[in-house]
Amino acid sequence: MPELSHRRRLLVLAICCMSLLIVSLDNTVLNVALPSMQRELNASVSGLQWTIDAYTLVLASLLMFSGATADRIGRKRVFMAGLVVFTIGSALCSLAPNLEALVAFRMVQAVGGSMLNPVAMSIITNTFTDPRERARAIGAWGAVVGISMAAGPLVGGLLVESVGWRSIFWINLPVGLAALLLTLRCVPESRAPKARRPDPLGQVLVIALFGSLTYAIIEAPNSGIAHVLPFAVLALVALLGILWYEPRRAEPLIELRFFRSAPFSGATLIAIGAFAALGGFLFLSTLYLQNVRGLDALHAGLWMLPMAVPTFACAPLSGRLVGSRGPRLPLLLAGCAMTASGVLFAVFEAETSNVTLFLGFVLFGVGFGFVNSPITNTAVSGMPRAQAGVAAAVASTSRQIGQTLGVAVIGAVLAAGVSSSAYRDTFVSAARPGWWIIAGCGLAVLVLGALTTGRWARRTAERTADRLEAAEVRSPAGVVSGANADRA
């Protein structure tokens, strides 16, 4: 990639943030619309879970493939293809005649989405080569999540109340089109100096693992253990297959050697825990505010602001802290705040009081605002720049896996405990185990943040990067270029 002026780099960052905005808005807006969709499409709790998890599941399954493909054939090309497919998928979702069609069209959206966030992060990583400048760029990137959380519930609530839930997908159309035109004009093409070969068997194993595991979790409360047991076994077989097959490939879909780096492994697990907490938090909060408290979509969206505003405010602060002091402090703050929020709901039933509900939302927003930037920065820092797309894709995949599992597990716990005949009376008690799970996720962020950001962890990252670079130099394809030895 040619050296760009500061102004051009900022423009590239803005374009990449537009792609994150439509993907993030889609999630926050959809959560507000769930009760309306439930009534119109006559959907069960598991049906609502699938409207979210069909998207995140496909996204998680294809992110690493998309990241590797972008490094191979061109990041700009793949990014533009993702914008086209995502925009078309959004239009189809707005026309869905039933729940089954909506789930299918959400999967089309996800195919496009898989080509956006990891590829955009790879573009940012290769555009902002200075570590401090990159940390600030990633902080701005993380702030977009806060913007989507602030704007999504309000915009979604207003659209649902005034036009209907189908209109929530319309907002993706103009943003997607604008991002496409700007990308065509302003973003330079880039690719890895050494192309990675496709790994079709690895891709099949990843899809089998994520799909069968998610199905088993979501359907267990309704269908029983006997029905989902074969899917659980399939998930285990797929996992064992990945662990056996991928290390034997010269250029695997999942580069398991990355996980020898303690910061990278920590960032992956932290992403899963943090986004599992987010998925479960939004799912429980939306259903409670509308189905139990009886609020309309707009007022439920307003109640999300105490979470969204701190997320928006803390994300750039987290980026600056990562750039100046490293990732440990933001991760510790995030873990403490998210754990406190989960405990507040689980022990003190925060839903039942406006004051404690407000405080619980604020605490979770602070925690989530601090967690996103160190995840991304730690995942790509220290890795060879030529594999930035793959490393960023693993981090993005971890986020989607976390959100998928959060909605699946917490939704399954809720479905098992709530009574359809006395929904309002049983919801708070049925949701309590879910809040404990969210508190546990926050505690995992805290502990892993402390363990994987010290001197020992940094030494493992340096050794891993050296081994990866040495392996690339010894590759049968020949000696790599000097850019391939640069670290992100």
Side-chain angles (χ1 to χ4, degrees):
M1 177 182 286
E3 187 67 27
L4 304 178
S5 67
H6 178 68
R7 185 174 182 179
R8 183 75 175 273
R9 291 198 300 272
L10 292 180
L11 182 58
V12 171
L13 174 62
I15 295 168
C16 291
C17 286
M18 289 176 70
S19 72
L20 177 62
L21 179 64
I22 58 176
V23 173
S24 301
L25 268 177
D26 197 71
N27 283 332
T28 55
V29 170
L30 181 68
N31 272 278
V32 174
L34 286 178
S36 297
M37 294 163 58
Q38 183 180 29
R39 290 189 295 269
E40 182 172 330
L41 301 178
N42 194 27
S44 62
V45 172
S46 63
L48 295 180
Q49 288 173 272
W50 278 118
T51 62
I52 297 173
D53 275 0
Y55 178 85
T56 56
L57 178 60
V58 173
L59 205 61
S61 299
L62 296 180
L63 280 171
M64 285 178 287
F65 171 77
S66 297
T69 301
D71 281 348
R72 183 172 62 253
I73 70 173
R75 295 167 182 130
K76 177 179 178 178
R77 183 180 302 175
V78 172
F79 187 69
M80 291 177 63
L83 288 169
V84 171
V85 175
F86 186 86
T87 303
I88 292 174
S90 299
L92 291 173
C93 286
S94 69
L95 303 173
N98 51 50
L99 181 66
E100 291 77 14
L102 177 61
V103 170
F105 295 150
R106 288 279 289 164
M107 296 172 76
V108 174
Q109 262 191 314
V111 172
S114 72
M115 296 182 248
L116 294 181
N117 286 3
V119 180
M121 180 50 60
S122 182
I123 292 172
I124 291 173
T125 302
N126 283 271
T127 300
F128 295 89
T129 55
D130 177 72
R132 288 180 178 270
E133 191 178 34
R134 185 193 305 122
R136 289 193 293 268
I138 292 173
W141 165 272
V144 174
V145 178
I147 294 173
S148 70
M149 284 190 172
L154 291 176
V155 173
L158 184 61
L159 288 174
V160 170
E161 287 301 310
S162 59
V163 184
W165 65 265
R166 297 178 187 277
S167 62
I168 64 174
F169 297 104
W170 297 346
I171 57 178
N172 296 333
L173 307 184
V175 179
L177 181 60
L180 179 64
L181 295 176
L182 288 170
T183 301
L184 181 64
R185 181 177 178 84
C186 302
V187 177
E189 184 61 279
S190 66
R191 55 177 58 86
K194 179 178 177 294
R196 297 173 63 86
R197 289 175 293 183
D199 181 8
L201 180 56
Q203 183 63 64
V204 170
L205 289 172
V206 167
I207 293 173
L209 170 61
F210 295 161
S212 55
L213 178 61
T214 304
Y215 182 88
I217 294 172
I218 290 178
E219 296 300 328
N222 297 323
S223 303
I225 299 299
H227 175 77
V228 302
L229 184 60
F231 295 92
V233 172
L234 177 59
L236 178 60
V237 170
L239 175 60
L240 294 176
I242 290 171
L243 295 177
W244 178 84
Y245 173 74
E246 290 296 282
R248 287 164 171 77
R249 279 187 58 87
E251 294 178 340
L253 176 70
I254 304 176
E255 182 54 88
L256 296 180
R257 290 177 297 178
F258 284 178
F259 293 94
R260 295 174 182 172
S261 164
F264 183 87
S265 298
T268 301
L269 294 175
I270 288 168
I272 292 174
F275 278 77
L278 174 67
F281 190 97
L282 292 175
F283 192 78
L284 290 178
S285 299
T286 300
L287 293 180
Y288 171 77
L289 290 172
Q290 295 190 54
N291 289 350
V292 178
R293 284 207 171 191
L295 300 179
D296 58 35
L298 178 59
H299 286 87
L302 288 171
W303 260 108
M304 293 291 181
L305 281 178
M307 178 185 70
V309 172
T311 298
F312 173 69
C314 293
L317 175 59
S318 176
R320 288 194 292 270
L321 285 174
V322 171
S324 61
R325 302 186 58 178
R328 171 171 283 194
L329 180 58
L331 288 175
L332 296 182
L333 291 172
C336 289
M338 295 173 77
T339 303
S341 175
V343 170
L344 187 63
F345 280 96
V347 176
F348 299 100
E349 296 185 349
E351 306 103 311
T352 57
S353 165
N354 285 342
V355 174
T356 51
L357 181 64
F358 179 88
L359 180 59
F361 278 23
V362 169
L363 285 171
F364 191 89
V366 169
F368 192 75
F370 274 107
V371 81
N372 212 25
S373 181
I375 289 173
T376 306
N377 188 271
T378 305
V380 300
S381 294
M383 294 297 170
R385 281 177 57 193
Q387 297 193 38
V390 180
V394 173
S396 295
T397 298
S398 302
R399 291 180 172 90
Q400 301 306 324
I401 292 172
Q403 193 160 354
T404 301
L405 293 178
V407 173
V409 172
I410 292 175
V413 168
L414 177 67
V418 74
S419 171
S420 58
S421 59
Y423 187 94
R424 296 191 176 191
D425 297 332
T426 59
F427 186 95
V428 172
S429 59
R432 187 174 296 116
W435 292 116
W436 276 119
I437 293 172
I438 291 171
C441 290
L443 184 61
V445 171
L446 175 64
V447 173
L448 289 169
L451 292 177
T452 61
T453 55
R455 293 181 179 177
W456 163 80
R458 287 194 294 272
R459 286 196 296 269
T460 66
E462 292 168 359
R463 288 196 298 268
T464 300
D466 291 340
R467 288 170 181 168
L468 288 170
E469 290 171 359
E472 287 184 355
V473 170
R474 295 193 302 267
S475 169
V479 178
V480 298
S481 66
N484 211 25
D486 291 340
R487 292 185 190 173

